[in-house]
Amino acid sequence: MHYGVAAIVFSAYNEVMFSARLKNLHPYVPGEQPDDADYIKLNANENPYPPCPAVIDAITSLAGCSPEALARYPDPDATALRTEIALFLNRTGGALAQCTVQNGQCIPGAGHELPVPITPDMVYCGNGSDEVLSFLFYACFDAGHPLVTPQISYSFYPVYAGFYGVPLNTVPLTEDGTPDADALVQHANAADAPVLFANPNAPTGGALSRAAIRAMLLRTNRERVFVVDEAYADFAAESVLPLVAEFENLVVVRTFSKSMCGAGMRLGYMIAQPRVVAAITTVKNSVNHFPVDALTQAAGIAACRSDGYYADCAHKIVALRGRFAAFLNAHGWSVLPSHANFVFAKKDGMRGADVYRALKVSGILVRHFAVDGIEDYVRITIGTDEQMAAVEQAIARMD
């Protein structure tokens, strides 16, 4: 007889076989990952474009020309990859959409240059930004001080808080879906607490300016870590990376899953002062001292060296984001300002769950969150021109 996972966990063996803390876990629920290729999948904020050809070449070359590399453990410190990430960020300034591309290389826009170069010892790499966040929770947050974070944000934050026993002090967003800088500062100072927020925010897309975040850092305790999750920063107006040299407690978490077309590779990283990187490395070496596999390291290096390709992808997504938001407004939708690769919107007079179902019937997957305050919204990832044309046709039929 076959028993499902849920049946096993909640069986009569639960009291004996499993720990008490297991019963208190509330796992993260990702967007649907259907096997049916007939769906236009705009529910997980994946990049609609494939990785650059150099990435494919790097993977096939390693597997085909140096297969013995797959029989050996990879570099546990991802030294070459960390070097390339530092060079990539120094060239782009951390905001691909703001770069111009000349001869395939990025030139950061005015005001986006890094005042002090990022060095490899300021970079930590892990299996996706979720693993990086997990290690940050372990190393920098504890039960003694609540973690201050927006009430509506990336839904993995409360999962990790429960996993590590970290109390949360949540702060409502502003009306336009942006983290409330003043409220976050007030709560952090009142509790002498660390701060974590996504900028741009997920799932709303709102973003604080670099100047606003700098003001927050100046007003909060520099002995407490201050984490800015920049998963979507390459689609935004700016990054906070120029502030890392000024504030030793600032940690910036980033990922290859969004702007670098690499969600299937599971590669994330953080930028911070070397002592913070060393602390996270200690956690890594206590869990899995070979976190990033050889193929992913090779792919990441190739991606970093092809910044012009990814800047072009970001430019296309940002331009289409603006056109799609205007289309939604013209069809009676309310759209929050977005600085990410998605829009967060609601159709006036229609429940969010009904919008989700209507689009799914049309073969389009979007993300609906059954959460108070945003239950009437859906999050729609920006796809290709062809995909978004299909979405617009489906939305027009809902009028």
Side-chain angles (χ1 to χ4, degrees):
M1 182 179 295
H2 174 74
Y3 293 93
V5 173
I8 294 174
V9 171
F10 294 105
S11 70
Y13 293 102
N14 193 40
E15 298 300 324
V16 176
M17 187 177 294
F18 302 110
S19 67
R21 61 179 176 266
L22 176 65
K23 293 183 289 185
N24 295 320
L25 288 184
H26 301 282
Y28 174 75
V29 179
E32 296 168 84
Q33 302 289 333
D35 294 329
D36 189 346
D38 291 337
Y39 282 111
I40 296 175
K41 190 172 179 295
L42 304 176
N43 64 333
N45 295 342
E46 296 147 324
N47 201 300
Y49 303 106
C52 69
V55 167
I56 307 305
D57 290 344
I59 293 172
T60 55
S61 176
L62 182 65
C65 301
S66 304
E68 67 278 359
L70 302 182
R72 298 194 298 264
Y73 288 113
D75 175 5
D77 296 318
T79 306
L81 174 58
R82 291 188 296 112
T83 298
E84 289 298 333
I85 288 174
L87 293 172
F88 163 76
L89 295 175
N90 291 334
R91 288 194 304 271
T92 65
L96 283 173
Q98 304 306 316
C99 293
T100 57
V101 181
Q102 294 183 6
N103 299 319
Q105 294 294 311
C106 284
I107 300 174
H112 297 281
E113 306 90 344
L114 300 185
V116 178
I118 291 170
T119 54
D121 61 352
M122 298 170 65
V123 182
Y124 171 82
C125 298
N127 283 307
S129 60
D130 290 336
E131 183 184 76
V132 176
L133 286 165
S134 175
F135 291 168
L136 276 167
F137 265 81
Y138 187 91
C140 300
F141 310 143
D142 57 41
H145 297 85
L147 172 62
V148 175
T149 192
Q151 190 175 70
I152 296 173
S153 192
Y154 183 31
S155 50
F156 224 135
Y157 300 158
V159 172
Y160 279 144
F163 188 87
Y164 289 110
V166 176
L168 289 181
N169 186 335
T170 59
V171 179
L173 298 172
T174 63
E175 289 186 1
D176 66 355
T178 302
D180 189 326
D182 288 337
L184 287 168
V185 168
Q186 291 169 5
H187 282 245
N189 287 339
D192 187 23
V195 175
L196 164 65
F197 62 95
N199 197 65
N201 187 53
T204 59
L208 291 168
S209 69
R210 184 194 304 152
I213 294 174
R214 183 176 185 275
M216 294 173 68
L217 284 156
L218 289 170
R219 294 165 59 197
T220 50
N221 185 353
R222 295 200 192 187
E223 295 300 315
R224 298 291 177 200
V225 72
F226 190 107
V227 182
V228 180
D229 185 346
E230 285 199 338
Y232 302 99
D234 277 322
F235 306 103
E238 56 189 351
S239 166
V240 297
L241 285 174
L243 303 179
V244 173
E246 182 179 1
F247 297 95
E248 291 193 358
N249 63 321
L250 175 60
V251 177
V252 183
V253 177
R254 297 175 68 96
T255 180
F256 278 65
S257 295
K258 312 302 181 184
S259 60
M260 304 297 282
C261 311
M265 293 194 303
R266 309 313 306 131
L267 178 57
Y269 62 98
M270 76 174 203
I271 305 298
Q273 289 298 316
R275 70 187 184 107
V276 181
V277 172
I280 301 305
T281 302
T282 296
V283 176
K284 180 264 290 184
N285 287 335
S286 302
V287 176
N288 175 12
H289 53 290
F290 294 109
V292 182
D293 67 73
L295 289 173
T296 299
Q297 290 190 38
I301 290 168
C304 288
R305 293 173 177 171
S306 304
D307 48 24
Y309 173 90
Y310 294 103
D312 284 339
C313 291
H315 292 159
K316 288 188 285 189
I317 289 169
V318 168
L320 188 49
R321 180 186 71 196
R323 295 198 299 271
F324 182 59
F327 169 86
L328 290 175
N329 284 323
H331 284 261
W333 290 58
S334 298
V335 186
L336 295 185
S338 177
H339 299 265
N341 68 333
F342 57 83
V343 297
F344 200 62
K346 64 178 179 178
K347 181 172 175 57
D348 297 341
M350 192 169 179
R351 295 170 60 241
D354 293 335
V355 172
Y356 159 80
R357 283 191 287 267
L359 289 174
K360 187 172 183 179
V361 167
S362 295
I364 299 159
L365 291 179
V366 300
R367 191 77 188 268
H368 174 251
F369 299 87
V371 176
D372 290 345
I374 60 171
E375 66 274 12
D376 286 334
Y377 285 83
V378 292
R379 190 191 68 195
I380 305 173
T381 304
I382 301 301
T384 63
D385 287 331
E386 294 77 14
Q387 289 173 331
M388 300 314 293
V391 176
E392 290 179 0
Q393 292 173 7
I395 287 173
R397 292 194 293 269
M398 297 165 60
D399 290 347

